[in-house]
Amino acid sequence: MIRLALKTSTWNPTETEWLRAANTISEAERDRISQFMYKRDAKQSMAGRLLMRNCFSQLSGAFPESFVLSRDTSGKPYLVNPPATLTALSFNVSHAGDYATFAGSNSAKVGVDVMKVELRRNTTVEQFFGHMKRQFTDFEWQRIRSPGSDRGKLFNFYRYWCLKESYVKAIGTGLKFGLLKIEFDIGRMEDDICRTTTVAIDGVIDSDWRFEEVYLDNHFITIAVQGEDSTREHVEDNVKVVKFDDLIVSKDMLDDEKYFFSFNEKKECP
Ligand code: COA
Ligand code: MG
């Protein structure tokens, strides 16, 4: 299993970096990124694509820019005509808060979700929970609200949110699956990691699934895993935080400086 995180909030790409990154992705991906209004969103989308292509390149030995990606009807990216080494690869990306994250496995089905533990200004925890009422079962709300402090409740909320989303992203449906059909019983976090959480679908525990929950730098990163991961001996490995320089990206720069200016002119988030 490959588990990566790139801290996008502190990534301030130089012109060379951005043009190399832009050369690593497809024209359609560049077009999409050029449409974002904020730098934050452009960086996160770019980081997601780089993480995916980095993994494909690492596993197959081919150049990261050589892969063709498309999306299925639910929006989930997949590889078009993957080389033999990647036909069984399940992969997924998530970006939120300060991070873009990636999980990939050659034998298990995976989905990843990241969320920053935060509360909008001028909102109370209970007001926030009020908007999310229909996303969790009564049992889950009981668990979410069980800590005495607001911070503890918020922490549990995001933990549950990431669990639900990692699952619906692994199966590929996204949120239309219906989050109330999925019920989690969360395990104890030890050293900011938990691997003992279980899931029930329509009331029946599904032991084919396991969940890797990592609390890192005020974010939850959760990977849903169905089936055996062939690299299970590395199960204690944590999410690896990488920098742009650690990624395999194109050696060549995109021969169009305008592309960097369009990035540089995007707004900072309010
Ligand atoms: N299944 C699996 N992965 C999918 C997917 C699907 N059906 N659709 C898209 N993805 C992948 C893509 O790679 C996408 O990134 P990209 O567009 O840059 O390539 C990535 O997942 C996005 O994941 P994430 O960053 O976690 O986004 P999200 O949390 O906004 O939502 C979904 C992802 C797939 C669940 C989406 O269906 C959705 O509806 N989200 C709403 C989220 C929401 O309401 N959040 C409130 C939290 S309090
Ligand atoms: Mg998400």
Side-chain angles (χ1 to χ4, degrees):
M1 173 100 70
I2 299 182
R3 313 164 181 86
L4 303 173
L6 182 74
K7 191 163 186 176
T8 51
S9 62
T10 53
W11 179 37
N12 297 309
T14 61
E15 180 167 350
T16 309
E17 268 182 5
W18 192 256
L19 292 177
R20 278 181 64 207
N23 201 51
T24 309
I25 62 177
S26 69
E27 196 172 342
E29 291 166 338
R30 286 197 290 271
D31 284 350
R32 188 158 179 264
I33 290 172
S34 70
Q35 281 163 22
F36 288 114
M37 183 187 291
Y38 296 115
K39 264 189 187 166
R40 181 199 61 190
D41 299 333
K43 283 195 292 180
Q44 287 198 327
S45 184
M46 176 68 89
R49 293 287 142 169
L50 296 183
L51 289 169
M52 286 184 206
R53 289 173 178 276
N54 170 75
C55 168
F56 305 154
S57 178
Q58 229 181 86
L59 295 177
S60 70
F63 291 120
E65 58 270 38
S66 65
F67 300 97
V68 180
L69 279 152
S70 188
R71 288 179 194 267
D72 69 14
T73 50
S74 300
K76 186 171 186 167
Y78 67 89
L79 265 172
V80 179
N81 299 327
T85 42
L86 299 179
T87 45
L89 183 73
S90 168
F91 62 92
N92 201 220
V93 152
S94 179
H95 28 66
D98 300 335
Y99 285 90
T101 57
F102 173 89
S105 168
N106 247 326
S107 47
K109 187 185 273 187
V110 296
V112 63
D113 197 53
V114 59
M115 283 302 260
K116 185 172 185 174
V117 180
E118 62 185 352
L119 188 63
R120 253 200 225 150
R121 252 176 272 160
N122 304 322
T123 310
T124 65
V125 167
E126 278 308 322
Q127 280 168 347
F128 175 52
F129 286 0
H131 298 301
M132 297 289 168
K133 222 180 339 209
R134 277 178 299 210
Q135 315 294 358
F136 301 102
T137 66
D138 290 346
F139 169 76
E140 289 175 330
W141 276 118
Q142 212 181 320
R143 296 298 299 271
I144 290 170
R145 291 197 167 94
S146 61
S149 67
D150 276 356
R151 175 76 195 161
K153 288 176 185 158
L154 209 55
F155 184 91
N156 275 357
F157 172 86
Y158 282 112
R159 211 180 145 187
Y160 262 107
W161 183 268
C162 283
L163 283 163
K164 293 236 172 179
E165 236 188 55
S166 66
Y167 179 85
V168 296
K169 291 182 74 186
I171 60 174
T173 58
L175 297 177
K176 68 178 179 228
F177 183 77
L179 297 188
L180 286 179
K181 288 163 68 168
I182 322 164
E183 187 174 73
F184 286 94
D185 192 358
I186 48 176
R188 238 168 70 96
M189 297 220 57
E190 283 174 52
D191 296 328
D192 291 333
I193 294 181
C194 177
R195 297 182 192 276
T196 54
T197 290
T198 56
V199 69
I201 308 299
D202 291 325
V204 182
I205 291 180
D206 190 342
S207 50
D208 203 20
W209 287 86
R210 62 188 177 83
F211 297 86
E212 300 186 358
E213 298 173 85
V214 177
Y215 180 65
L216 172 92
D217 190 14
N218 199 34
H219 292 66
F220 269 106
I221 302 172
T222 301
I223 305 175
V225 187
Q226 187 191 31
E228 286 297 312
D229 179 49
S230 54
T231 52
R232 208 181 161 109
E233 62 273 18
H234 301 305
V235 79
E236 291 314 319
D237 284 355
N238 223 325
V239 172
K240 186 176 171 208
V241 181
V242 291
K243 295 197 163 57
F244 178 82
D245 284 347
D246 301 325
L247 297 179
I248 303 168
V249 297
S250 172
K251 285 192 171 48
D252 299 326
M253 280 162 50
L254 190 76
D255 189 17
D256 188 352
E257 289 169 5
K258 272 188 223 143
Y259 196 72
F260 180 67
F261 293 126
S262 108
F263 165 72
N264 235 2
E265 278 167 5
K266 290 185 198 298
K267 296 185 187 152
E268 295 294 345
C269 272

